[in-house]
Amino acid sequence: MIDHPLFWILFVSVIFWSFFERFDAHRKEYVDHPRATFTYFIFSSAILIFVYPPVLSLYTSGILGFFIAILTVYLTYLLYLYLPKLFNGPKKKFPEDHHYFKLLDKKYILPKFAEIIFQQTFFGSILLLISDNFHLSISVLLLGALCFIVAHLPLFILQGKRVGIFYTAWAILGAPIFASILLSTGSLWYVIAFHMFFYTFLSGITWLFSPVKYSDSISNSI
């Protein structure tokens, strides 16, 4: 069992996630120490690639996806830059719900991007292992999606029931899309771009539909 790559993929993922969750007890590392958090997740991804080298092939293919991913990061930056000038945003404070995407803090973008790379490196590794044993695309898609959903279940322990339900529900919706994109393109960059866009979408929707509207923001600035 210890010689199987699945053991090392799971071992590395659990170790790095558990350590970070322990270290980030106050849910502030993404914006208080963005460089350290970015470096941590890039390093974690590199270790995953080291223990399962085949996943690197999913990064070296689909170069267009890389530029789309970078473009998504840039568009996220623009959204975070200009949206607060039009809306005051949600009234709930960060310490109450710990949702970084509600802050529209530009320091959050790159650490989150690195975290998504780590998540998708794990996801890509698992999907490659599944595809080695199941040659039917539908089987690979369903099993890969299931693994991504299951990977979110520890949030119930690490971050509580409310956060666990929130992200697991979104994972159920997003996992088949992630698997479909990866199977059809053979590149993780497209999946990473879509994953990053998801958080950009959450940020925008949260602010656009917050109780405080554009007119209120203007009147408060006068």
Side-chain angles (χ1 to χ4, degrees):
M1 178 63 182
I2 196 171
D3 294 329
H4 198 282
L6 178 60
F7 170 83
W8 290 106
I9 292 169
L10 293 175
F11 178 78
V12 169
S13 300
V14 169
I15 290 297
F16 277 99
W17 265 120
S18 300
F19 181 81
F20 183 78
E21 289 291 339
R22 178 70 175 176
F23 187 68
D24 192 26
H26 299 290
R27 311 284 174 232
K28 297 174 67 179
E29 294 304 312
Y30 286 82
V31 292
D32 281 3
H33 303 96
R35 293 180 181 176
T37 302
F38 175 86
T39 303
Y40 180 86
F41 282 118
I42 293 298
F43 177 75
S44 305
S45 302
I47 296 298
L48 273 176
I49 293 172
F50 175 78
V51 301
Y52 189 62
V55 74
L56 183 61
S57 65
L58 299 179
Y59 281 108
T60 55
S61 60
I63 192 65
L64 176 62
F66 171 77
F67 290 107
I68 293 175
I70 298 302
L71 177 62
T72 305
V73 171
Y74 179 65
L75 292 176
T76 305
Y77 172 81
L78 293 180
L79 181 80
Y80 280 29
L81 181 64
Y82 291 109
L83 200 57
K85 298 179 181 180
L86 304 178
F87 293 85
N88 285 339
K91 294 181 179 179
K92 183 170 286 189
K93 302 300 182 182
F94 176 70
E96 297 176 23
D97 62 8
H98 300 299
H99 286 310
Y100 284 103
F101 63 83
K102 293 181 179 180
L103 295 176
L104 294 197
D105 190 326
K106 294 185 289 295
K107 294 190 298 293
Y108 166 64
I109 298 173
L110 288 182
K112 186 61 185 180
F113 185 67
E115 182 220 304
I116 288 172
I117 289 175
F118 175 62
Q119 286 192 47
Q120 295 303 334
T121 304
F122 166 79
F123 179 60
S125 300
I126 295 297
L127 206 64
L128 282 178
L129 284 176
I130 293 173
S131 64
D132 286 341
N133 295 281
F134 296 89
H135 299 293
L136 293 176
S137 295
I138 187 64
S139 300
V140 176
L141 188 151
L142 292 176
L143 288 173
L146 179 62
C147 288
F148 188 76
I149 294 168
V150 170
H152 285 75
L153 296 182
L155 288 174
F156 284 90
I157 300 173
L158 297 170
Q159 296 193 30
K161 180 179 178 181
R162 183 164 53 83
V163 173
I165 291 175
F166 179 84
Y167 285 105
T168 302
W170 279 111
I172 292 172
L173 293 174
I177 300 176
F178 290 155
S180 298
I181 293 173
L182 185 53
L183 289 174
S184 61
T185 65
S187 173
L188 274 173
W189 290 116
Y190 293 100
V191 188
I192 290 168
F194 182 81
H195 199 163
M196 187 71 195
F197 175 78
F198 163 74
Y199 281 95
T200 306
F201 173 80
L202 279 183
S203 300
I205 291 297
T206 300
W207 278 63
L208 289 172
F209 289 93
S210 62
V212 182
K213 299 301 183 183
Y214 175 80
S215 58
D216 298 323
S217 179
I218 293 296
S219 62
N220 288 337
S221 63
I222 297 177

